[in-house]
Amino acid sequence: MEVKDSFKENYQDQVIMHMLINDSDENSIKNLSNNSDTNEGYLYLSVKFISISNNLTSVFEKLLEKHQIQVNQYMSREYIQSFFGSDISELSIMASKLKNGLNKNEITLVSKNTENKGFFEKFFQLFS
């Protein structure tokens, strides 16, 4: 099972804002571990989620819906501050940098394309 799916299954009342690979675990092992004594030869990553309540997102969406504004992604101010330090003069610029991949330990969540294409659409894409 994917870690994102596991989070969504166990925290159904939360929306994921950030998914981060922790730099190290309690044994100071960097990112990826393959210690056969502790995990029987399996590789694993330590992942941290930063989330927000569904109730809070629905309040934002209802307020902004009146002005025809749709929220595509939520970001945590505390996460942004922890990455750049307490001297935040331009929060939106720093948020944009993080959104565009500045933190190499942040996992970008991409929706799967669930669109069913017909035979001719698939055939056309093959040659384009």
Side-chain angles (χ1 to χ4, degrees):
M1 179 181 282
E2 292 184 24
V3 68
K4 179 183 76 169
D5 294 336
S6 179
F7 179 89
K8 287 183 176 183
E9 181 179 310
N10 292 300
Y11 300 96
Q12 295 175 1
D13 62 332
Q14 298 286 311
V15 173
I16 299 171
M17 292 190 292
H18 305 281
M19 187 173 159
L20 306 165
I21 299 173
N22 288 334
D23 279 337
S24 60
D25 62 12
E26 60 275 356
N27 298 322
S28 297
I29 300 170
K30 286 292 194 186
N31 292 336
L32 192 59
S33 177
N34 186 11
N35 185 343
S36 60
D37 295 336
T38 59
N39 61 14
E40 301 174 4
Y42 293 100
L43 295 173
Y44 69 93
L45 289 172
S46 176
V47 179
K48 174 183 177 181
F49 288 95
I50 301 173
S51 61
I52 187 171
S53 166
N54 279 337
N55 295 336
L56 190 54
T57 60
S58 65
V59 168
F60 285 137
E61 289 170 3
K62 286 178 184 175
L63 286 172
L64 296 172
E65 185 179 86
K66 296 174 185 175
H67 303 285
Q68 298 179 346
I69 299 172
Q70 181 181 10
V71 178
N72 292 328
Q73 180 182 3
Y74 293 93
M75 296 185 80
S76 167
R77 179 185 178 98
E78 288 81 17
Y79 164 64
I80 297 168
Q81 285 178 322
S82 70
F83 191 81
F84 288 103
S86 61
D87 182 31
I88 291 187
S89 56
E90 292 294 326
L91 183 65
S92 60
I93 293 172
M94 293 176 184
S96 177
K97 288 180 180 181
L98 284 172
K99 184 178 188 265
N100 292 321
L102 182 64
N103 184 356
K104 299 301 178 193
N105 286 351
E106 183 164 1
I107 299 167
T108 304
L109 301 173
V110 179
S111 298
K112 292 181 181 177
N113 186 2
T114 58
E115 181 181 317
N116 256 345
K117 295 182 181 179
F119 172 77
F120 291 108
E121 290 173 328
K122 291 179 186 177
F123 188 74
F124 178 75
Q125 285 186 341
L126 183 65
F127 293 103
S128 60

